[in-house]
């Protein structure tokens, strides 16, 4: 269980490594949403490419998505949420998470690389 939170000029990059659990993702979210810089971000990237094992169930993904959806109240601007992974078993779970943003200004996508994620974020 390891993660690193990097605050960038307009957003956040979180890199996960080793084994990732839903408790770890919730802990990261608590740190991010408790920081006053959160109110001004325009993107969040969760990079799972360094994770060797992702222990997040579809139910966990839905709950995390609902919690994040609630956070859109504090930052009502359009925030692009990105999941970076090539893990074929995790992609459907990430899709469940991202569906929770429907009907909010927030939007989400899954990319295989960080480079693709940054291209999308900067596409405006």
């Amino acid at each position: 269980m390891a993660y690193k939170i990097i605050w960038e000029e307009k957003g956040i990059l979180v890199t996960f490594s080793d084994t990732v659990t839903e408790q770890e993702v919730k802990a990261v979210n608590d740190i991010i949403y408790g920081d006053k810089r959160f109110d001004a971000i325009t993107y969040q990237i969760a990079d799972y490419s360094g994770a060797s094992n992702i222990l997040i169930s579809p139910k966990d993904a839905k709950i995390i998505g609902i919690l994040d959806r609630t956070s859109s109240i504090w930052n009502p601007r359009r925030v692009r949420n990105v999941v970076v992974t090539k893990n074929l078993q995790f992609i459907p779970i990430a899709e469940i998470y991202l569906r929770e943003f429907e009907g909010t200004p927030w939007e989400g996508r899954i990319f295989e690389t960080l480079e693709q994620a940054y291209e999308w974020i900067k596409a405006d």
Side-chain angles (χ1 to χ4, degrees):
M1 170 160 105
Y3 62 85
K4 184 175 183 181
I5 300 172
I6 302 165
W7 289 90
E8 299 178 339
E9 183 180 346
K10 294 183 179 183
I12 303 163
L13 169 62
V14 180
T15 58
F16 292 97
S17 58
D18 303 325
T19 297
V20 182
T21 65
E22 56 96 12
Q23 294 92 353
E24 182 176 20
V25 174
K26 287 179 181 176
V28 166
N29 283 348
D30 288 344
I31 293 167
I32 291 170
Y33 298 142
D35 192 300
K36 66 180 178 179
R37 294 175 285 185
F38 169 75
D39 297 342
I41 66 166
T42 60
Y43 67 86
Q44 299 182 89
I45 300 172
D47 182 2
Y48 290 87
S49 59
S52 57
N53 197 12
I54 304 171
L55 302 177
I56 299 173
S57 72
K59 181 180 177 184
D60 296 336
K62 183 167 182 68
I63 292 168
I64 293 165
I66 290 168
L67 293 171
D68 285 1
R69 177 187 178 97
T70 303
S71 299
S72 70
I73 295 168
W74 297 302
N75 185 339
R77 72 186 72 213
R78 184 183 75 176
V79 174
R80 290 186 166 186
N81 292 273
V82 179
V83 174
V84 176
T85 186
K86 292 181 183 178
N87 183 319
L88 296 178
Q89 288 77 37
F90 184 58
I91 289 172
I93 293 169
E95 289 171 342
I96 291 168
Y97 163 75
L98 294 174
R99 274 197 295 272
E100 290 304 318
F101 299 128
E102 292 175 6
T104 75
W106 288 22
E107 55 186 321
R109 294 218 182 140
I110 300 168
F111 293 101
E112 291 187 353
T113 68
L114 266 177
E115 292 78 20
Q116 293 169 328
Y118 281 110
E119 284 176 22
W120 180 58
I121 287 166
K122 295 176 183 178
D124 277 342

